[in-house]
Amino acid sequence: MSSKGRQLNLNLFIYPGGHHEAGWRYKDSSPERILDIKYYQALAQRAEAAKFDALFFADGPALTENIRYASRPRLEPLTWISAMAAVTERIGFIATASTTYNQPYNFARFFASIDHLSNGRAGWNIVTTGDAGAAQNFGLDQHPTHADRYDRAGEFVDVVTKLWDSWEDDALVGDRQSGIFADDQKIHPINHIGKYHRVRGPLTLPRSPQGRPVYVQAGSSEDGKSFASRYAEAIFTAHQTIANAQEFYSDIKARVKAVGRNPDQVKVLPGISPFIGSTEAEAKALYDEFNELIQPEYSLDQLRRLLGIDLSGHDLDGPFPRELIRIEGEVGVSSRFHVVLDIVDREKPTIRQLLHRLAGARGHWVEKGTPEQIADKIQLWFENGAADGFNIMPPYLTGGFDIFVDEVVPILRKRGLFRLDYEGTTLREHFGLDRPESQYSLAQSAIA
Amino acid sequence: MSSKGRQLNLNLFIYPGGHHEAGWRYKDSSPERILDIKYYQALAQRAEAAKFDALFFADGPALTENIRYASRPRLEPLTWISAMAAVTERIGFIATASTTYNQPYNFARFFASIDHLSNGRAGWNIVTTGDAGAAQNFGLDQHPTHADRYDRAGEFVDVVTKLWDSWEDDALVGDRQSGIFADDQKIHPINHIGKYHRVRGPLTLPRSPQGRPVYVQAGSSEDGKSFASRYAEAIFTAHQTIANAQEFYSDIKARVKAVGRNPDQVKVLPGISPFIGSTEAEAKALYDEFNELIQPEYSLDQLRRLLGIDLSGHDLDGPFPRELIRIEGEVGVSSRFHVVLDIVDREKPTIRQLLHRLAGARGHWVEKGTPEQIADKIQLWFENGAADGFNIMPPYLTGGFDIFVDEVVPILRKRGLFRLDYEGTTLREHFGLDRPESQYSLAQSAIA
C-alpha cells in the first residue's frame, strides 16, 4: 500500500468513438456526442478523479480515412485540450502534432500558451505524420519520405525548443515602480538558420511553467527509436506480447543511455485496449460482440493502409496471403507494419481473424479478461521490464473507461502500483520528469 | 426600455495590461496576472453577465515591440479563447489571426474546432499582419507588401471558407444500425489551386454551428476597405471624431451594397477607450495620472512604428515636426497612419502631447467623462450613422472594465440601447448576422 514504490503512469487515450473501430456502434457508446466538448470535459474530470497522469489525443492533418464507416472526425487537439484544461486542475493533456505539417513559430506559440493556461500540464506527442494524403492539404507535390520526415522532425524539435527557451525563467519583471516590464537581456532571439527552417525569435510569450511541454513520441521504427533516444521523455508504443515489449523497453533504455541521457527520464508506455467482464467468458463475449459490428469494407481499407495490399475480393475466411506483403517501400518502414507482420507470422490467421485482431485498437495490445486478470497483466508487464505505465485505450466510451476506473484501478491501488493522489501539479511531476533549464540560462551560467 | 429598437453591439477588447500603454503601472492593475487564465476567465464571465456580444483579442506572430517597457506578452489567442469558451455559455470570442503567416488547412481546423467547442461563439479578426518583423519568424526574406498581403488575404479567406463549407451541414449521420457514420457524398474535397495555396481538403471535421466563424476585419486603408466590403461581417475601426467615423460608416456601407451584399449584415464597431470619473474633472485627472506613467522612450518607439520617423533626441515639449512625415512607402499605407496624421493636422500638438494622445489606445478614440457623458457620446455616434456598436478598450484591467459595466451599461439599458439579456446563443445571433449555407449545398441545390 506504500505510495513510495515505483508507480505506474496511466494515460487515458481518447479516440472519439472508442478505440475499437466499431466502438461507436456499440449500444452504450455515444456517437452523437463526438464533437460535444462537455462530454470530453466530463471524461477529463473523471480521469482526474481517478488520478490518471494525462489524457492523450491522436491527430492527423487530413481526412483520408474511409469516413463513411469510421467515427474519425474529431476536434483539433490543441484547442480541444485548452478547453479541457480549463475545467480541470491536475491531470495532464498530451496532444499529437506533426513536425512535417506545422510552422515552428506558430506551433511553439500554441504549446507555450497551453502550458501557461494549464499551469504546466501540456505534453506534445511528436509525430512526423504517416498519412501521405496530408501533403496535398499543404501544397506539397508529395509527402516527404520516412527518413526525410525524421530529418525534418529533428530540426523542428530543435527550433521549437529554442523558442520555448528564448525567455529565461526570470525575464518577466513587471515592476510598476521602475516601469520595467521585462528584462530584455534575458529574452533571446534564436536566429535559427537550418535546412528546413529559418526562425529569428524570440517567442511572443514568457517561458512556460514546465519550461517545455513533455516530449512524447510514438514511432518505433529504427528512425523512430533513434529520434526517441534523443528527444523523448515518454514513449507510446504498440506491442502484442510481453516478449516484444521487453525487447523494445531494454533497447530504448540502452539507446537513451548511449546518448548520455538518464533512462529513468524516459517513460515507456505501451497501449492496452481492455475488454473487461465479470468473468473471462463475459469479456470474450463482449469482444465478439464488438467484432460482429465490424464492417469488412472499412477493415480491409485499414489493412491496405497498414500493409499496402488490397484484399478486397478475397475470401475473408481463407488464409491470410502472407506472400503478398512486401517489406520494401514506405509502408514497410513503419513500426505498426511490423507489429501486424508479427501477428500474421505467429498466429497464421484467416483474413477475417486478422481484421478482428486489428479492429480492436489498430495493432495495439487487446486484452480480454476479468478486472483481476487485466490488473495481473499490467503488473506483469510493469514489473518485468516491459513498461513504465500504459496508455489505456477503451474500446468504447465512456463505459469502456468507467469500468477500468471502477474495477481495475482499485486493484492496482491495493497492490501499491498506482497513486492514491497526485503528488505534484504538473505533468512533468506526475511522470517524475525533471524540469529542463533554458539553454540560454545555461549558456549565461557557463559564461559567468 | 423596449428591447426591440436597434441595439448596440458591445465587445470587450482585451489587452493584457489594459489599452493605455502604461496601464499596467496603474495602482489597480494586475501585471502579475497577465498570463493567468483564471483572471481572463473571470473577466469573460463578467462580460457575459453584462450581456456583452464578445471578447476581442489582438495578436501578432512576432515579439518586436519594445518589450522592456510594455505589457505585451500574451497567450496565443486561439488556445486562450478555447479555455475561456469552456467556462462561459453565451458570450462570443473574436480572435485575431494572420492570413499572411498561417497555413490555411491547419488554420481552418483550429477555428472550426473552436466554433464547435464554443457552440457557435467564434469570430475571426482577419489581419494581414502589419509588423514586418514577423517575416523572419517564418523563413521569409522580407515581409510581403501591403498590396501583396491583401491579395494573399483574399485567397486565404476563400480557401478556408471552402474548407469550412466542405462538410455539408447534414453530412454526419452516426447511424448505429446501418453502420453509416457519415454520408461521404456530402463531404467535398475543395481541390483549391491558387496563386499562394494548394489545398485538397476536405476538412477533418464537420461543419461548425455557425457554418463559419464571424468574419471580422480591422484595416481601414483603401485595400482594407475593399477587402472588408467583400468579406467582413463586423468591422473594428479607429476614429477620433464623429465626422470621420460617419464618413467611414457611410463609405463602407455603400461599398458593401455596391458588391451586392446587405449593409445590415456588416456591423461597424469603432474602438473607444473610456476614462470614467464621477465628475468630468475626476475623469481628466485619471487620464493625467495615466499619462504621468508613460515612458517616453517606449512612446517614441511606438511613434516610429506608426509614422516611420525617429524623434528621439528632439525636445518633447517642442512642436511636432510635421514636415518629417512621408506619406509614401509601406508605413504611409496603413489606416492608423492616417488617423495619427489627422490628429497632428487638427490639434497641432507638441511631441509630448501627441505621445499622450496615442498612449491611450494606439490611435483609437479616447473619451474622458462621467458615465452619463460617455453614454451620451456612445448614443450620439450610434444614432447618427457613425457606429453600430463599439469595441470597449479599458485603459486598465479589470477596474477600467468594471466601471464601464457598473456605471455606463445601466444608462445605455435605461435608454433602450443595449440588451437586457441575450436573445440567441451564437455570436452570429448576437450580431444579428445570417448563418451562411455551405457553398457545396448551394451548388447541389442549383443542380437539383
Side-chain angles (χ1 to χ4, degrees), chain A residues 25-26 29 59 68 76 79 101 106 109-110 113 136-137 139 141 176-177 179 181 198 200-201 295, chain B residues 25-26 29 59 68 76 79 101 106 109 113 133 136-137 139 141 176-177 179 181 198 200-201 295:
Chain A
R25 297 184 69 192
Y26 184 63
S29 73
D59 190 46
R68 184 166 177 81
E76 181 288 319
T79 49
Y101 297 111
N106 283 336
R109 296 175 68 214
F110 280 113
S113 184
Q136 296 173 67
N137 290 332
D141 288 320
R176 276 196 188 83
Q177 204 51 44
F181 190 79
R198 281 188 296 147
R200 190 187 51 178
Q295 308 190 80
Chain B
R25 298 185 68 191
Y26 184 63
S29 72
D59 189 47
R68 186 167 177 80
E76 181 288 319
T79 48
Y101 297 111
N106 283 336
R109 295 176 69 213
S113 184
Q136 296 172 69
N137 290 332
D141 288 321
R176 276 197 189 82
Q177 203 52 42
F181 190 79
R198 282 188 297 147
R200 189 188 53 179
Q295 306 190 81

Side-chain angles (χ1 to χ4, degrees), chain A residues 163-315:
Chain A
L163 288 168
W164 287 324
D165 286 356
S166 64
W167 291 56
E168 295 183 45
D169 285 314
D170 55 352
L172 202 67
V173 179
D175 178 19
R176 276 196 188 83
Q177 204 51 44
S178 65
I180 307 295
F181 190 79
D183 180 351
D184 46 4
Q185 296 302 305
K186 295 186 171 169
I187 304 171
H188 306 274
I190 70 166
N191 293 321
H192 174 87
I193 299 176
K195 187 166 161 193
Y196 304 102
H197 301 289
R198 281 188 296 147
V199 181
R200 190 187 51 178
L203 201 60
T204 47
L205 74 181
R207 198 146 191 267
S208 73
Q210 295 189 112
R212 308 161 195 163
V214 172
Y215 291 175
V216 182
Q217 189 267 0
S220 304
S221 65
E222 263 308 300
D223 287 333
K225 283 190 282 195
S226 156
F227 183 87
S229 64
R230 278 155 61 210
Y231 297 106
E233 300 176 295
I235 298 175
F236 173 43
T237 178
H239 301 289
Q240 294 280 340
T241 65
I242 187 169
N244 281 353
Q246 285 166 326
E247 189 189 326
F248 176 83
Y249 186 97
S250 59
D251 179 35
I252 204 77
K253 297 265 175 168
R255 286 174 190 248
V256 166
K257 205 171 169 185
V259 299
R261 296 177 62 210
N262 176 357
D264 293 341
Q265 291 286 307
V266 181
K267 305 297 170 183
V268 177
L269 310 172
I272 173 174
S273 186
F275 286 78
I276 304 170
S278 44
T279 63
E280 200 177 327
E282 199 182 297
K284 285 188 171 145
L286 181 70
Y287 178 69
D288 291 340
E289 193 178 346
F290 273 74
N291 282 340
E292 285 301 312
L293 298 172
I294 286 176
Q295 308 190 80
E297 182 184 332
Y298 176 76
S299 306
L300 287 170
D301 190 56
Q302 289 291 92
L303 197 63
R304 185 181 55 73
R305 291 169 195 282
L306 274 170
L307 299 183
I309 56 174
D310 186 355
L311 295 180
S312 50
H314 282 65
D315 174 11

Side-chain angles (χ1 to χ4, degrees), chain B residues 183-195:
Chain B
D183 180 351
D184 45 5
Q185 296 301 306
K186 294 187 170 168
I187 304 171
H188 306 273
I190 70 164
N191 292 320
H192 174 88
I193 299 175
K195 188 166 159 193

